């Protein structure tokens, strides 16, 4: 499995322009807890993106496994939203709240995604950029909560037997989620394909 930190260093700043534009238009960026555990990403900015001064972070963590010292809790924690379940440790939830982050409890054993999006809408968050990983991508697709799927192709050959898939999880036994290609952008040899779910 390749860390996104390593991968980011192989991509030019120019290639990030479409992603920067997406973040500028979004109310929040969403990831699963494994992304934070693996990379300690702060999500709201880096050397390529710069710092986005308005975007919220949403992290799905059904058991509140993320360390309280993670950067999402130490850098602008008031912009962090943790989505968790009622089975998470109440002690850990209180520790997260004390950092200044917001906690949304939706679901008993795992995060109920439809309930989460209803809660986010009430908070004024209407546009969410999902940056994975594969389990979160799969769950959102399964619940048909994806409006636009953007697949980026960069001119590198990477991967191994443990490499994550775009959609991890239980897999698809049949073609349940056909996609329609809306447009393709090519930028300095990098390809961005925009898809929508067919109804």
């Amino acid at each position: 499995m390749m860390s996104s930190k390593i991968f980011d260093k192989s991509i030019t700043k120019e290639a990030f322009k479409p992603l920067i534009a997406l973040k500028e238009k979004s109310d929040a960026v969403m990831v699963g807890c494994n992304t934070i555990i693996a990379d300690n990403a702060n999500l709201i900015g880096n050397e390529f993106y710069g710092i986005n001064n308005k975007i919220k972070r949403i992290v799905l963590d059904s058991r509140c496994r993320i360390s309280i010292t993670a950067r999402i809790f130490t850098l602008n924690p008031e912009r962090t939203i943790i989505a968790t379940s009622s089975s998470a440790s109440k002690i850990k939830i209180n520790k997260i709240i004390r950092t200044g982050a917001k906690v949304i409890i939706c679901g008993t054993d795992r995060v109920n995604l439809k309930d989460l999006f209803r809660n986010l809408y009430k908070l004024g968050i209407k546009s969410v950029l999902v940056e994975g990983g594969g389990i979160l991508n799969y769950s959102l697709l399964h619940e048909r909560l994806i409006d636009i799927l953007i697949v980026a192709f960069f001119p590198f050959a990477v991967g191994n037997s443990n490499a994550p898939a775009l959609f991890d999880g239980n897999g698809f036994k049949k073609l349940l989620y056909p996609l329609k290609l809306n447009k393709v952008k090519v930028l300095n040899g990098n390809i961005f394909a925009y898809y929508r779910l067919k109804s």
Side-chain angles (χ1 to χ4, degrees):
M1 184 176 189
M2 177 176 280
S3 165
S4 61
K5 287 181 179 178
I6 298 172
F7 191 59
D8 283 357
K9 292 178 181 178
S10 303
I11 305 173
T12 64
K13 188 172 183 178
E14 191 72 14
F16 273 88
K17 279 189 174 180
L19 307 181
I20 295 170
L22 280 172
K23 276 201 169 181
E24 290 296 327
K25 294 177 182 177
S26 302
D27 297 320
V29 58
M30 176 182 287
V31 298
C33 64
N34 288 333
T35 297
I36 305 300
I37 292 169
D39 292 337
N40 195 20
N42 76 54
L43 300 180
I44 58 174
N46 60 26
E47 61 182 299
F48 288 110
Y49 288 132
I51 300 297
N52 187 306
N53 292 318
K54 69 175 182 68
I55 199 166
K56 301 281 189 181
R57 317 170 172 104
I58 304 166
V59 182
L60 277 66
D61 189 1
S62 296
R63 296 287 187 274
C64 285
R65 295 189 294 125
I66 298 171
S67 169
I68 208 72
T69 62
R71 291 198 292 169
I72 60 169
F73 298 129
T74 60
L75 299 173
N76 303 106
E78 72 282 356
R79 293 165 64 184
T80 298
I81 299 172
I82 300 296
T84 191
S85 69
S86 58
S87 60
S89 163
K90 301 299 183 292
I91 294 173
K92 186 66 174 291
I93 289 174
N94 287 332
K95 286 182 178 179
I96 291 171
I97 292 172
R98 283 198 292 271
T99 69
K102 183 176 182 61
V103 175
I104 297 176
I105 300 174
C106 45
T108 53
D109 187 54
R110 56 180 296 179
V111 174
N112 183 309
L113 290 170
K114 289 184 178 179
D115 282 352
L116 172 60
F117 276 88
R118 280 190 282 267
N119 275 278
L120 294 175
Y121 190 85
K122 291 176 183 177
L123 293 174
I125 297 173
K126 301 175 183 179
S127 175
V128 178
L129 173 63
V130 179
E131 293 190 341
I135 294 174
L136 175 57
N137 293 343
Y138 170 85
S139 300
L140 290 167
L141 184 64
H142 182 68
E143 296 288 348
R144 301 191 75 86
L145 292 170
I146 295 176
D147 293 314
I148 300 173
L149 173 66
I150 304 170
V151 182
F153 300 90
F154 298 104
F156 304 103
V158 297
N160 56 42
S161 59
N162 297 315
L166 178 59
F167 298 106
D168 283 325
N170 296 326
F172 307 121
K173 294 182 179 179
K174 57 182 180 178
L175 192 61
L176 297 175
Y177 309 102
L179 303 172
K180 178 182 179 181
L181 181 64
N182 268 21
K183 62 180 177 179
V184 176
K185 290 183 179 180
V186 180
L187 181 63
N188 294 331
N190 305 301
I191 301 171
F192 299 87
Y194 295 71
Y195 297 90
R196 284 189 178 272
L197 270 176
K198 289 185 178 179
S199 56

